[in-house]
PDB file of all heavy atoms in Angstrom:
ATOM      1  N   VAL B 540     -12.805   0.823 -14.064  1.00  0.00           N
ATOM      2  CA  VAL B 540     -12.866   1.945 -13.124  1.00  0.00           C
ATOM      3  C   VAL B 540     -11.449   2.482 -12.890  1.00  0.00           C
ATOM      4  O   VAL B 540     -11.218   3.686 -12.894  1.00  0.00           O
ATOM      5  CB  VAL B 540     -13.511   1.485 -11.801  1.00  0.00           C
ATOM      6  CG1 VAL B 540     -13.391   2.561 -10.767  1.00  0.00           C
ATOM      7  CG2 VAL B 540     -14.962   1.142 -12.019  1.00  0.00           C
ATOM      8  N   PHE B 541     -10.518   1.557 -12.717  1.00  0.00           N
ATOM      9  CA  PHE B 541      -9.131   2.017 -12.485  1.00  0.00           C
ATOM     10  C   PHE B 541      -8.543   2.680 -13.726  1.00  0.00           C
ATOM     11  O   PHE B 541      -7.761   3.607 -13.595  1.00  0.00           O
ATOM     12  CB  PHE B 541      -8.269   0.857 -12.006  1.00  0.00           C
ATOM     13  CG  PHE B 541      -8.725   0.278 -10.707  1.00  0.00           C
ATOM     14  CD1 PHE B 541      -9.026  -1.050 -10.593  1.00  0.00           C
ATOM     15  CD2 PHE B 541      -8.932   1.111  -9.612  1.00  0.00           C
ATOM     16  CE1 PHE B 541      -9.485  -1.565  -9.420  1.00  0.00           C
ATOM     17  CE2 PHE B 541      -9.397   0.612  -8.440  1.00  0.00           C
ATOM     18  CZ  PHE B 541      -9.677  -0.751  -8.341  1.00  0.00           C
ATOM     19  N   ILE B 542      -8.947   2.160 -14.903  1.00  0.00           N
ATOM     20  CA  ILE B 542      -8.471   2.807 -16.111  1.00  0.00           C
ATOM     21  C   ILE B 542      -8.977   4.232 -16.197  1.00  0.00           C
ATOM     22  O   ILE B 542      -8.246   5.156 -16.519  1.00  0.00           O
ATOM     23  CB  ILE B 542      -8.842   1.967 -17.352  1.00  0.00           C
ATOM     24  CG1 ILE B 542      -8.065   0.652 -17.287  1.00  0.00           C
ATOM     25  CG2 ILE B 542      -8.539   2.705 -18.632  1.00  0.00           C
ATOM     26  CD1 ILE B 542      -8.492  -0.361 -18.307  1.00  0.00           C
ATOM     27  N   VAL B 543     -10.272   4.423 -15.870  1.00  0.00           N
ATOM     28  CA  VAL B 543     -10.841   5.760 -15.873  1.00  0.00           C
ATOM     29  C   VAL B 543     -10.078   6.631 -14.856  1.00  0.00           C
ATOM     30  O   VAL B 543      -9.735   7.783 -15.170  1.00  0.00           O
ATOM     31  CB  VAL B 543     -12.334   5.713 -15.531  1.00  0.00           C
ATOM     32  CG1 VAL B 543     -12.874   7.099 -15.288  1.00  0.00           C
ATOM     33  CG2 VAL B 543     -13.102   5.042 -16.618  1.00  0.00           C
ATOM     34  N   MET B 544      -9.810   6.070 -13.725  1.00  0.00           N
ATOM     35  CA  MET B 544      -9.071   6.844 -12.688  1.00  0.00           C
ATOM     36  C   MET B 544      -7.702   7.245 -13.197  1.00  0.00           C
ATOM     37  O   MET B 544      -7.269   8.390 -12.989  1.00  0.00           O
ATOM     38  CB  MET B 544      -8.932   5.969 -11.446  1.00  0.00           C
ATOM     39  CG  MET B 544      -8.179   6.662 -10.317  1.00  0.00           C
ATOM     40  SD  MET B 544      -8.012   5.536  -8.924  1.00  0.00           S
ATOM     41  CE  MET B 544      -6.295   5.173  -9.014  1.00  0.00           C
ATOM     42  N   ALA B 545      -7.020   6.320 -13.872  1.00  0.00           N
ATOM     43  CA  ALA B 545      -5.695   6.651 -14.384  1.00  0.00           C
ATOM     44  C   ALA B 545      -5.801   7.786 -15.429  1.00  0.00           C
ATOM     45  O   ALA B 545      -4.992   8.727 -15.417  1.00  0.00           O
ATOM     46  CB  ALA B 545      -5.079   5.416 -15.036  1.00  0.00           C
ATOM     47  N   ILE B 546      -6.821   7.699 -16.250  1.00  0.00           N
ATOM     48  CA  ILE B 546      -6.982   8.775 -17.283  1.00  0.00           C
ATOM     49  C   ILE B 546      -7.245  10.103 -16.598  1.00  0.00           C
ATOM     50  O   ILE B 546      -6.631  11.130 -16.954  1.00  0.00           O
ATOM     51  CB  ILE B 546      -8.148   8.428 -18.242  1.00  0.00           C
ATOM     52  CG1 ILE B 546      -7.737   7.176 -19.060  1.00  0.00           C
ATOM     53  CG2 ILE B 546      -8.445   9.546 -19.160  1.00  0.00           C
ATOM     54  CD1 ILE B 546      -8.847   6.587 -19.857  1.00  0.00           C
ATOM     55  N   VAL B 547      -8.076  10.066 -15.563  1.00  0.00           N
ATOM     56  CA  VAL B 547      -8.329  11.340 -14.857  1.00  0.00           C
ATOM     57  C   VAL B 547      -7.053  11.889 -14.224  1.00  0.00           C
ATOM     58  O   VAL B 547      -6.759  13.060 -14.271  1.00  0.00           O
ATOM     59  CB  VAL B 547      -9.403  11.107 -13.740  1.00  0.00           C
ATOM     60  CG1 VAL B 547      -9.459  12.270 -12.803  1.00  0.00           C
ATOM     61  CG2 VAL B 547     -10.749  10.900 -14.397  1.00  0.00           C
ATOM     62  N   LEU B 548      -6.264  10.952 -13.680  1.00  0.00           N
ATOM     63  CA  LEU B 548      -5.001  11.428 -13.025  1.00  0.00           C
ATOM     64  C   LEU B 548      -4.034  11.969 -14.045  1.00  0.00           C
ATOM     65  O   LEU B 548      -3.218  12.829 -13.728  1.00  0.00           O
ATOM     66  CB  LEU B 548      -4.374  10.290 -12.238  1.00  0.00           C
ATOM     67  CG  LEU B 548      -4.981  10.037 -10.868  1.00  0.00           C
ATOM     68  CD1 LEU B 548      -4.365   8.835 -10.241  1.00  0.00           C
ATOM     69  CD2 LEU B 548      -4.715  11.268 -10.010  1.00  0.00           C
ATOM     70  N   ILE B 549      -4.085  11.412 -15.283  1.00  0.00           N
ATOM     71  CA  ILE B 549      -3.168  11.961 -16.285  1.00  0.00           C
ATOM     72  C   ILE B 549      -3.498  13.420 -16.589  1.00  0.00           C
ATOM     73  O   ILE B 549      -2.632  14.281 -16.665  1.00  0.00           O
ATOM     74  CB  ILE B 549      -3.271  11.160 -17.595  1.00  0.00           C
ATOM     75  CG1 ILE B 549      -2.753   9.752 -17.375  1.00  0.00           C
ATOM     76  CG2 ILE B 549      -2.493  11.790 -18.737  1.00  0.00           C
ATOM     77  CD1 ILE B 549      -3.002   8.840 -18.519  1.00  0.00           C
ATOM     78  N   PHE B 550      -4.794  13.705 -16.713  1.00  0.00           N
ATOM     79  CA  PHE B 550      -5.185  15.058 -17.115  1.00  0.00           C
ATOM     80  C   PHE B 550      -5.293  15.988 -15.942  1.00  0.00           C
ATOM     81  O   PHE B 550      -5.245  17.190 -16.107  1.00  0.00           O
ATOM     82  CB  PHE B 550      -6.481  15.016 -17.894  1.00  0.00           C
ATOM     83  CG  PHE B 550      -6.298  14.402 -19.224  1.00  0.00           C
ATOM     84  CD1 PHE B 550      -6.813  13.158 -19.541  1.00  0.00           C
ATOM     85  CD2 PHE B 550      -5.551  15.071 -20.237  1.00  0.00           C
ATOM     86  CE1 PHE B 550      -6.604  12.601 -20.777  1.00  0.00           C
ATOM     87  CE2 PHE B 550      -5.375  14.504 -21.425  1.00  0.00           C
ATOM     88  CZ  PHE B 550      -5.874  13.245 -21.743  1.00  0.00           C
ATOM     89  N   ARG B 551      -5.506  15.461 -14.728  1.00  0.00           N
ATOM     90  CA  ARG B 551      -5.643  16.335 -13.602  1.00  0.00           C
ATOM     91  C   ARG B 551      -4.913  15.727 -12.394  1.00  0.00           C
ATOM     92  O   ARG B 551      -5.531  15.220 -11.498  1.00  0.00           O
ATOM     93  CB  ARG B 551      -7.109  16.514 -13.241  1.00  0.00           C
ATOM     94  CG  ARG B 551      -7.350  17.712 -12.370  1.00  0.00           C
ATOM     95  CD  ARG B 551      -8.748  17.589 -11.754  1.00  0.00           C
ATOM     96  NE  ARG B 551      -8.850  16.361 -10.940  1.00  0.00           N
ATOM     97  CZ  ARG B 551      -9.966  15.873 -10.469  1.00  0.00           C
ATOM     98  NH1 ARG B 551     -11.105  16.434 -10.742  1.00  0.00           N
ATOM     99  NH2 ARG B 551      -9.982  14.788  -9.743  1.00  0.00           N
TER     100      ARG B 551
END
Side-chain angles (χ1 to χ4, degrees):
Chain B
V540 172
F541 298 125
I542 293 170
V543 170
M544 179 183 108
I546 293 169
V547 167
L548 278 175
I549 293 170
F550 290 109
R551 196 197 61 191

